[in-house]
Amino acid sequence: MTDAQIVGSNGLYGRYTLEGFLHAQKRLNRRKLALYPLPAHLWLDHIRCIGLKQLLQALEAEALSVVSFHPEYRQYSLFEGVDTLRGQCTMEYYRRCVDVAAALQSETICVYPAGSLLDGSPEREWNALSEQFSSLCEYAGRKKLTVCIQTVTEDDGRALHRMEELTWLLEQVPEACVALDTLPLSRAGETISQWFDVFGSRIRHVCFRDGRASGGRIWGEGVCPFQRYAQELRRSGYTGAISIAGISDRYWEAPEAADAKNLASVQSMLCTPKGGE
């Protein structure tokens, strides 16, 4: 694996300006980014998008590009059908996310399907998810954009914790691809090798991060088996983008220091040294 596969992310920079985040990525020698629509960097909801022109100008000025776009998920839910206001707002939001990702010339839009209710009707929610996600992929396809979906942790809903559930959804929506996130993967007791055995080339994005029960961490501060995960990812033959941090306010006071420490750890784990195999 190469250093060029490891992309920067604004997930740790929620209390910093867009310029502060981009300058930090330049100092860390990141040229490609996984971007979250954090309010400090881009205001995006189901009604409007504010700041896209400024974002595009700033990326061009710094010679940076976006390879994956990660919609906000907390107030929207693909498990809500179009017969509900929340379901209608969710689809409007995700379509706006597709439009933004296309404007950014992102390679993928990565969906974190949170929001399955603890006391909701499983049949109703799964039917809604299949319908909503299929509609989203159809819309993204018209924009020549790949949609990736992943599993989630138990903290973010009752469903889609495991590969088996994700496999069912992909059977309903065969044009979709997959994002592998080591945090929910770890919580489910699964392995990276299992994911590549099942999904193979449909894995188009990897979020390689450490974690604990209370959420994501930079590497070395969580409990994920880093040596085994790194070995499995290197052996997978994966050549796509690898983001190394999700959204976390744990490091918002000093994000660049945490980002630099995390990057050094991941480089040591994943990148083949010169003269190595």
Side-chain angles (χ1 to χ4, degrees):
M1 313 200 86
T2 68
D3 178 65
Q5 289 177 253
I6 303 173
V7 303
S9 170
N10 64 330
L12 306 184
Y13 294 81
R15 293 180 184 167
Y16 276 62
T17 63
L18 174 63
E19 292 75 14
F21 159 64
L22 295 180
H23 291 163
Q25 297 312 293
K26 291 274 283 191
R27 288 190 290 270
L28 294 173
N29 199 30
R30 299 303 93 192
R31 293 293 181 268
K32 297 180 179 181
L33 306 174
L35 193 73
Y36 296 84
L38 298 180
H41 306 155
L42 179 71
W43 182 273
L44 179 61
D45 58 23
H46 64 282
I47 299 173
R48 58 199 176 278
C49 176
I50 301 173
L52 180 58
K53 181 178 179 180
Q54 292 88 339
L55 174 60
L56 289 167
Q57 291 173 340
L59 289 168
E60 182 178 8
E62 298 293 345
L64 296 167
S65 62
V66 173
V67 297
S68 62
F69 188 79
H70 301 254
E72 162 63 29
Y73 55 85
R74 290 178 177 84
Q75 70 185 88
Y76 301 102
S77 174
L78 291 169
F79 290 94
E80 288 282 351
V82 294
D83 57 332
T84 69
L85 178 60
R86 190 183 183 198
Q88 294 165 14
C89 291
T90 292
M91 189 48 54
E92 286 297 319
Y93 173 72
Y94 275 102
R95 286 175 176 169
R96 286 185 181 277
C97 287
V98 168
D99 293 342
V100 169
L104 293 168
Q105 298 183 320
S106 175
E107 298 171 6
T108 60
I109 178 171
C110 295
V111 175
Y112 188 84
S116 177
L117 300 176
L118 296 178
D119 63 347
S121 165
E123 181 179 4
R124 180 183 178 279
E125 288 193 331
W126 280 103
N127 287 338
L129 175 64
S130 178
E131 181 180 359
Q132 293 275 54
F133 189 58
S134 178
S135 177
L136 171 62
C137 288
E138 180 182 359
Y139 184 79
R142 297 201 296 268
K143 304 280 186 175
K144 310 299 183 183
L145 190 65
T146 298
V147 180
C148 295
I149 192 163
Q150 64 169 89
T151 51
V152 305
T153 68
E154 299 92 334
D155 305 322
D156 292 317
R158 181 179 58 182
L160 273 176
H161 302 153
R162 304 188 61 83
M163 289 187 299
E164 290 85 353
E165 296 170 294
L166 192 56
T167 298
W168 176 88
L169 181 60
L170 293 174
E171 290 173 352
Q172 313 308 307
V173 191
E175 64 270 33
C177 289
V178 175
L180 184 161
D181 186 334
T182 52
L183 182 54
L185 175 151
S186 174
R187 295 274 291 271
E190 297 168 345
T191 69
I192 290 175
S193 295
Q194 288 173 334
W195 271 64
F196 275 95
D197 287 343
V198 172
F199 300 119
S201 61
R202 293 183 80 172
I203 298 176
R204 299 294 181 85
H205 186 81
V206 169
C207 185
F208 189 75
R209 54 178 175 153
D210 205 348
R212 296 184 184 179
S214 57
R217 302 285 198 280
I218 66 173
W219 282 100
E221 296 186 6
V223 297
C224 291
F226 67 91
Q227 291 180 330
R228 174 162 62 85
Y229 281 6
Q231 184 180 62
E232 289 176 339
L233 188 54
R234 290 198 307 267
R235 288 180 174 177
S236 71
Y238 177 73
T239 59
I242 302 170
S243 60
I244 60 176
I247 297 177
S248 176
D249 59 5
R250 188 174 302 276
Y251 307 102
W252 279 3
E253 294 298 332
E256 188 173 349
D259 205 1
K261 180 181 178 182
N262 200 33
L263 176 61
S265 296
V266 174
Q267 288 171 325
S268 68
M269 287 190 282
L270 296 183
C271 297
T272 303
K274 292 183 179 180
E277 296 181 358

